[in-house]
Amino acid sequence: MGAVWLLNMPTWLADAGLDVDTYPGWETRSRSSGGYDDVRGIGVHHTASSTSPANDMAYCWKNADVKPIGAIILDRTGKITVGAAGATNTQGKGGPYPSSKGTIPQDAGNRYILSIEACNAGNGEAWPAAQIDAYVRMCAVLVPKLGLNWGDIMAHFEWSPGRKYDPAGNSPYASGGAL
């Protein structure tokens, strides 16, 4: 299989009625490895910041030493911005992790997991209902489009147990302090 680029992602999300935008250069943005080797999971995260979405996007896609961080940023109003069509640097060390499309190899999550960064400080900040709703609706679009199952969505703490704790906070969908 050749490199996988998610160039249809903004259209999929917009066609589902979600508020979606793109960040300049998203079509060719990826980590140094290029496109995904395959998409076998969706990683859910928080930005660990309380800044504006514009600042989060600039950091994740232009200014971070290990850019790009995450393919999508979900702001507190539920607006989705796609910033990278190729693989990103978000998952770090972790795994291996079983998925419906095959095991994601140890420490190779960046090449196999589409990562969503939701704007949240991760320190007890409340998750607005609009943001939680958009997170769920976005995943409901992406799971079938990517040929995944619901069990292929993972929190960062599931990929990297003991190393990461995001997304953190209270949620109607999870217990134990995770969104």
Side-chain angles (χ1 to χ4, degrees), residues 31-90:
R31 67 192 306 267
S32 60
S33 61
Y36 296 92
D37 290 1
D38 190 18
V39 181
R40 297 184 185 171
I42 297 172
V44 293
H45 308 267
H46 66 240
T47 57
S49 71
S50 56
T51 188
S52 70
N55 285 343
D56 279 334
M57 288 181 236
Y59 174 75
C60 287
W61 299 325
K62 288 174 57 178
N63 301 329
D65 291 341
V66 293
K67 66 185 173 285
I69 298 174
I72 296 171
I73 287 186
L74 172 61
D75 79 18
R76 291 166 181 87
T77 69
K79 183 172 185 170
I80 297 163
T81 304
V82 177
T88 61
N89 292 316
T90 307

Side-chain angles (χ1 to χ4, degrees), residues 162-176:
R163 191 176 77 81
K164 292 289 187 170
Y165 67 94
D166 64 313
N170 297 322
S171 165
Y173 303 106
S175 60

Side-chain angles (χ1 to χ4, degrees), residues 95-135:
Y97 196 90
S99 86
S100 65
K101 291 175 68 177
T103 298
I104 301 165
Q106 183 170 351
D107 300 338
N110 292 329
R111 297 188 341 255
Y112 292 91
I113 300 170
L114 168 65
S115 294
I116 301 167
E117 293 283 347
C119 297
N120 188 284
N123 61 2
E125 176 185 349
W127 288 84
Q131 187 179 34
I132 292 173
D133 179 62
Y135 224 147

